[in-house]
Amino acid sequence: MANSAVGQAFDAFWHTEVGLVFGDGVARMSLLHWVNDALLTIFFLVVGLEIKREFTTGSLASRRSAALPIAAAIGGMAAPALIYVALIPQGPWSHGWGVPMATDTAFAVALIAMMGARVPIELRVFLTAAAIVDDIGAIIVVAIFYSGELQAGVTAALAMLNRSGVYRASPYVLLGIALWACVHASGLHATLAGVILAAFIPTRPPPDYRALMLQADTILDAEASHGGEQLRHGPSESALRALDAIHDRLESPADRMLRNAGPRSSYLVLPVFALANAGVAVGSNVFDGREPLMLAIIAGLVIGKPLGFIGASALAVRLGLAVKRDEYSWRQLAGAGALAGIGFTMSLFIAGQAFPAVADFAAAKVAVFIASVLSAIIGVAVLWGAARPSEAGAAPVRSDVTEVEVPVEVPG
């Protein structure tokens, strides 16, 4: 669209001013800024909630299971940044070292899922965990190096709600909107309000399903014993309130918000963000004199990601800090590292912060596209041709399992 006859109209559409009026106050931005500064906050909220879930009940909950993906992610962030810094001299482009650090979790994991049984499920879990750690790193980089100072008043209110044991989602949503406005006004990128909000939305241990079932049965039995009146008009108001309370205890506010916001992030927010930001009017001026910038980004994502990924993983295993599971080989781990070079969403986001000049941003976008396509092709090719360890003759023994739990019935 950007390179078609409607290219200028397409660009002008995203720069249309849209505003909200509150008495004498006006909040006015272009559609592009509403997408990047407001709508994308939902994506950052979902990422924050996923990170929180992984660290509480997911694959990063224990030190032993988290050590290898954390090491791989750190290496996969450090190596691309170092390659970029080595290739780019001091100047207006030197601030863009964060662009090749990011991994687009959705694309990388989706490609692994598409290969089905060729890739062990353990490798998919590993890559997801590493990508989540990568997201944490990208968020920290944006907050520290590509933003201003944070106004913390509303954050304190969120902390008080959390400490007070408030489990209703609505107070957090209202404070989240206020936090977004404060962060936007402070100069910090407003989408980080989503991450801050996710940190304070409470989680809790899984409920006692048997106790809840007994409570619900007791309530319904009591209602049924009242006879025909309840059958004609439904349960009493007190019974409905009690059943609502049971329903609220089935999942934590964080899980409920993730369940509701996750699909909206995947099927609405990210496609709209990509549509608004991915357009580049390709011409000779896009590449004129910017080849070093593009080369640094491409090299960082295509070469730096897998090198850092596999190098840090091997070092962590050699030092005894982590254990590689036998279900996937080192070659498959390298293929996952290549897929981690798919930057797209987060790389485009960081590039928008790092390169205020339109021409530099356009060149960075083209470089991210090229690097992401190359990384996808290389990663799929490596994983497609890699045999699973059990197929190559390796004994299918779990090296990270030291105990076997046997269920034992205890009387009473």
Side-chain angles (χ1 to χ4, degrees), residues 293-317:
L293 171 63
M294 298 175 66
L295 177 63
I297 294 174
I298 293 172
L301 286 170
V302 177
I303 300 174
K305 271 290 183 182
L307 280 181
F309 214 80
I310 197 76
S313 298
L315 181 62
V317 172

Side-chain angles (χ1 to χ4, degrees), residues 285-298:
N285 60 328
V286 172
F287 309 102
D288 188 20
R290 295 177 180 84
E291 292 84 358
L293 171 63
M294 298 175 66
L295 177 63
I297 294 174
I298 293 172

Side-chain angles (χ1 to χ4, degrees), residues 318-406:
R318 183 70 179 270
L319 295 176
L321 301 175
V323 177
K324 185 189 77 66
R325 299 185 65 152
D326 291 331
E327 286 85 354
Y328 51 83
S329 65
W330 283 107
R331 179 176 176 178
Q332 288 176 316
L333 196 64
L339 290 181
I342 302 174
F344 201 61
T345 306
M346 284 302 298
S347 290
L348 290 180
F349 178 77
I350 296 175
Q353 309 305 308
F355 304 117
V358 175
D360 292 343
F361 183 33
K365 284 195 284 187
V366 173
V368 169
F369 297 154
I370 294 173
S372 297
V373 172
L374 288 175
S375 296
I377 293 173
I378 294 170
V380 170
V382 171
L383 290 172
W384 194 268
R388 299 185 62 165
S390 57
E391 296 171 358
V397 179
R398 290 273 299 278
S399 62
D400 61 337
V401 175
T402 57
E403 297 179 353
V404 177
E405 294 183 3
V406 178

Side-chain angles (χ1 to χ4, degrees), residues 225-239:
S225 66
H226 293 158
E229 188 67 22
Q230 266 68 27
L231 296 178
R232 286 195 299 272
H233 301 289
S236 64
E237 186 175 345
S238 60

Side-chain angles (χ1 to χ4, degrees), residues 160-328:
M160 289 178 61
L161 278 180
N162 185 287
R163 293 294 298 271
S164 301
V166 176
Y167 281 97
R168 293 241 176 226
S170 51
Y172 293 95
V173 173
L174 293 175
L175 279 176
I177 296 172
L179 177 64
W180 179 88
C182 293
V183 174
H184 185 270
S186 72
L188 188 70
H189 201 280
T191 52
L192 296 180
V195 180
I196 299 170
L197 177 61
F200 290 103
I201 295 176
T203 57
R204 55 188 171 195
D208 185 339
Y209 292 106
R210 180 169 295 181
L212 293 180
M213 182 180 66
L214 291 175
Q215 292 178 27
D217 286 343
T218 301
I219 294 169
L220 294 176
D221 287 342
E223 290 297 299
S225 66
H226 293 158
E229 188 67 22
Q230 266 68 27
L231 296 178
R232 286 195 299 272
H233 301 289
S236 64
E237 186 175 345
S238 60
L240 289 174
R241 283 199 300 268
L243 291 172
D244 284 341
I246 293 174
H247 175 266
D248 289 340
R249 288 159 60 189
L250 288 174
E251 60 181 349
S252 69
D255 290 335
R256 186 178 300 113
M257 191 167 291
L258 183 58
R259 177 167 56 85
N260 291 322
R264 290 168 174 80
S265 173
S266 298
Y267 300 116
L268 173 64
V269 174
L270 291 183
V272 171
F273 171 80
L275 185 65
N277 289 273
V280 180
V282 179
S284 59
N285 60 328
V286 172
F287 309 102
D288 188 20
R290 295 177 180 84
E291 292 84 358
L293 171 63
M294 298 175 66
L295 177 63
I297 294 174
I298 293 172
L301 286 170
V302 177
I303 300 174
K305 271 290 183 182
L307 280 181
F309 214 80
I310 197 76
S313 298
L315 181 62
V317 172
R318 183 70 179 270
L319 295 176
L321 301 175
V323 177
K324 185 189 77 66
R325 299 185 65 152
D326 291 331
E327 286 85 354
Y328 51 83

